[in-house]
Amino acid sequence: MIHVLLAEDQHIIRGALVALLGLEPDLEVVDSVESGDAVVPAALVHRPDVAVLDIDMPGTLDGLGAAAELRAKLPGCRVLMLTGYGKPGHLRRALSAQVDGFLLKTAAPERLVEAIREVAAGRRVLDPSLALTAWDLADNPLTPREADVLRLVAEGAEATEIAGRLFLSAGTVRNYLTTIVGKLNARNRTDAVRIATEAGWI
């Protein structure tokens, strides 16, 4: 029997998935939760073989954040991510989080069941329509420090606040921002945040 933990914030979809998986003789949904924050506590109680996580969930942790925490706290649990969109940034973050599978919600129900079994058996699963996206993922042009600066910009911080938080001078922060905008061929820092977020670099 493969024990499955399901995390999906939309009630109707979550209920449908629980019902679907319940029809399979070798699958048992041990718990279903509606937020990323609830994933690890539920997993520590139920010790699932596979966690099926929606990528976009409310709370402090989204699905990928929950996957990373789950890998740290319960490394024996395999993780299959579900997403409505095949965004390069999501795929990049999923690959860097070392999830075991990545499937679009548009996949056929039998494909989801098959993917759970494959992941449980130790294999990796990637939705075929995402294979080209994975192939085309560009390398991150930002240095770790530039990424730190841009993350703080994304949070709404101004140059002086960023300088204080990263122990830099305001002038250095402005230089970083000029370099970042140039590297990303962005119109401005807001556009740079958009580009870097969609690519999964911050």
Side-chain angles (χ1 to χ4, degrees):
M1 184 67 73
I2 299 169
H3 298 107
V4 179
L5 170 66
L6 183 65
E8 162 63 59
D9 63 308
Q10 296 183 37
H11 296 285
I12 292 175
I13 294 176
R14 190 169 71 252
L17 289 173
V18 169
L20 169 73
L21 299 181
L23 297 174
E24 301 299 321
D26 59 335
L27 302 182
E28 180 187 357
V29 178
V30 292
D31 200 1
S32 64
V33 298
E34 61 182 323
S35 73
D37 300 332
V39 168
V40 172
L44 291 175
V45 169
H46 297 286
R47 303 279 167 166
D49 302 302
V50 177
V52 179
L53 311 179
D54 181 16
I55 210 163
D56 293 309
M57 287 186 288
T60 312
L61 293 174
D62 64 4
L64 288 169
E69 193 172 303
L70 191 56
R71 183 165 291 281
K73 302 265 180 73
L74 196 65
C77 179
R78 312 275 293 168
V79 176
L80 174 63
M81 301 301 310
L82 294 181
T83 182
Y85 313 98
K87 292 180 182 175
H90 280 165
L91 184 53
R92 178 185 296 282
R93 286 181 59 211
L95 294 174
S96 63
Q98 298 180 307
V99 302
D100 304 291
F102 197 84
L103 202 62
L104 289 175
K105 289 183 180 179
T106 52
E110 56 269 21
R111 180 63 190 119
L112 171 61
V113 171
E114 182 186 336
I116 291 171
R117 290 182 181 129
E118 288 180 36
V119 164
R123 293 187 289 276
R124 298 192 79 181
V125 174
L126 178 64
D127 196 293
S129 64
L130 296 173
L132 283 177
T133 303
W135 190 270
D136 291 338
L137 284 177
D139 289 332
N140 184 355
L142 302 177
T143 66
R145 180 56 92 187
E146 288 166 350
D148 289 341
V149 168
L150 200 55
R151 276 189 207 96
L152 292 175
V153 171
E155 292 174 12
E158 294 297 329
T160 50
E161 183 185 347
I162 295 170
R165 289 172 67 177
L166 296 181
F167 306 103
L168 302 169
S169 71
T172 300
V173 169
R174 282 190 283 274
N175 289 340
Y176 272 127
L177 290 171
T178 301
T179 302
I180 290 165
V181 168
K183 277 186 174 181
L184 300 184
N185 293 317
R187 293 185 300 276
N188 51 41
R189 63 181 68 176
T190 304
D191 193 36
V193 167
R194 178 190 63 78
I195 292 167
T197 302
E198 287 181 358
W201 295 329
I202 61 169

